[in-house]
Amino acid sequence: MLLNRRDSQSVAYLLAQPLLVALLWRVPMHWALTAVVYGLVLFLTLGVGVIHHNHTHRKMWRSKRLNRLTDLWITALQGHPTFVFYPAHIANHHRYHHGPQDVARTYRFGGDTNHLLGYLLHPLQAGWVLYPLFIRWLRQLQQRHAGAFRYCLLQYAIVLLLWGTLALIDAQKMFWLVVLPQLHGLHWLLATNYLQHAHADGHSALNFARNFEGWVNPLLFNIGLHTAHHRHPRAHWSSLPQLHAQYRHHIHPALNAGPLLAYMGRTYLLSLLHPRWRSRSLMTTGTPHADSV
């Protein structure tokens, strides 16, 4: 019933993450094994965030009921409602492509930056401006589509019910095994916007996003191939490498950043030691122009 068989990887992540949390909760382990399993849980929170993103753009299942159940399952795993991706991502970020009207554009906060402090602060700054957007969107939804509004409230109820139940069972385990991984996943979900767009050109029709290549992409559903995703938001994640090849040689070379971890190391750590590793802004002024492809 999957629309694309490659989404079996997504299903595996959605099942593995809670199973590993349950394993840590119930089974005593040597500290070294505990650390390995906990590390896998933290990694899977990143995967769940990307799955949430992909499922918003392109539903996984042929069945509407299974798609709704997947929304609720991701809500429980992430600790926040899945509906937020529509007003924040589809109706905002993909509409304005990091441009001046993008509510969470990276250069809105403290100028056009790309450094360690900006990366660490961006999730808090983005959350501060996005939540009023969610509230306005919910108010409009309440007036126009009461059923959809109740569905969004159900997602909040699931989070609160899960947290409340687990806290009653064991609040300490709940914090370390559920809340902390959820916060880790939420940080990466919001900080990825900074990784992919800081110092890119928000006035360009093509040079608005940074791309990452390497071994992380197959594990995280090709999330690093961001230009191709913006230009083809309905394309399945498995087709992004082929689409990326069409754009790679047309965008600014600095936006082909290589492997993610190497980029983060030189941009956010080595740059503190020597100016040669500092990021350089590509931002132009004026209205977006039509770059040729």
Side-chain angles (χ1 to χ4, degrees):
M1 284 189 282
L2 286 170
L3 286 168
N4 189 306
R5 62 183 180 84
R6 291 290 301 275
D7 279 322
S8 57
Q9 180 181 346
S10 304
V11 174
Y13 281 33
L14 292 175
L15 295 176
Q17 198 260 356
L19 286 174
L20 290 178
V21 170
L23 183 67
L24 289 170
W25 190 297
R26 297 293 302 272
V27 181
M29 299 183 210
H30 187 273
W31 68 266
L33 182 57
T34 298
V36 170
V37 176
Y38 196 75
L40 287 174
V41 169
L42 293 180
F43 175 79
L44 287 171
T45 63
L46 310 186
V48 171
V50 181
I51 293 166
H52 175 191
H53 165 267
N54 294 343
H55 188 61
T56 302
H57 279 284
R58 182 184 172 113
K59 297 301 182 186
M60 289 169 52
W61 307 95
R62 299 181 188 279
S63 164
K64 182 177 180 180
R65 179 173 294 181
L66 284 177
N67 285 322
R68 287 289 183 91
L69 288 173
T70 300
D71 284 339
L72 300 179
W73 186 253
I74 294 173
T75 291
L77 294 183
Q78 287 198 306
H80 65 83
T82 56
F83 82 81
V84 299
F85 242 110
Y86 184 82
H89 191 71
I90 303 295
N92 170 60
H93 185 57
H94 270 268
R95 182 178 181 183
Y96 299 118
H97 301 290
H98 193 54
Q101 292 176 286
D102 189 335
V103 173
R105 60 195 180 276
T106 62
Y107 50 94
R108 177 179 184 175
F109 312 106
D112 185 20
T113 66
N114 189 18
H115 48 56
L116 180 61
L117 183 61
Y119 167 74
L120 294 174
L121 289 178
H122 185 73
L124 299 175
Q125 295 165 331
W128 183 259
V129 298
L130 286 174
Y131 232 89
L133 181 69
F134 302 154
I135 294 171
R136 289 195 301 270
W137 188 80
L138 281 173
R139 286 174 177 168
Q140 294 172 359
L141 195 65
Q142 184 180 18
Q143 296 172 358
R144 299 174 184 175
H145 303 287
F149 174 73
R150 290 192 294 271
Y151 180 65
C152 294
L153 293 186
L154 174 62
Q155 293 179 8
Y156 278 112
I158 285 174
V159 173
L160 294 175
L161 179 62
L162 175 67
W163 283 352
T165 302
L166 294 178
L168 287 174
I169 296 171
D170 192 322
Q172 186 175 9
K173 284 185 178 180
M174 179 255 194
F175 174 77
W176 288 106
L177 299 181
V178 178
V179 174
L180 197 59
Q182 287 176 342
L183 290 174
H184 173 261
L186 181 60
H187 168 85
W188 274 90
L189 191 64
L190 294 171
T192 296
N193 185 60
Y194 196 86
L195 291 171
Q196 292 171 330
H197 294 284
H199 272 178
D201 187 356
H203 299 285
S204 170
L206 188 62
N207 289 319
F208 54 81
R210 183 174 290 104
N211 297 280
F212 300 104
E213 300 167 321
W215 62 270
V216 171
N217 271 325
L219 296 177
L220 291 179
F221 310 96
N222 294 321
I223 193 62
L225 308 179
H226 205 54
T227 302
H229 168 63
H230 265 267
R231 298 299 289 262
H232 304 274
R234 292 285 297 162
H236 191 265
W237 59 266
S238 62
S239 67
L240 290 180
Q242 292 75 32
L243 293 170
H244 172 65
Q246 299 176 19
Y247 297 101
R248 192 180 191 282
H249 300 292
H250 296 280
I251 65 176
H252 193 285
L255 296 176
N256 291 316
L260 172 63
L261 296 181
Y263 165 83
M264 294 182 71
R266 64 178 180 265
T267 305
Y268 299 144
L269 298 178
L270 291 179
S271 64
L272 300 174
L273 304 176
H274 197 285
R276 67 171 292 195
W277 300 109
R278 291 175 188 168
S279 176
R280 302 290 186 268
S281 176
L282 301 178
M283 187 71 72
T284 59
T285 58
T287 56
H289 56 273
D291 305 82
S292 60
V293 177

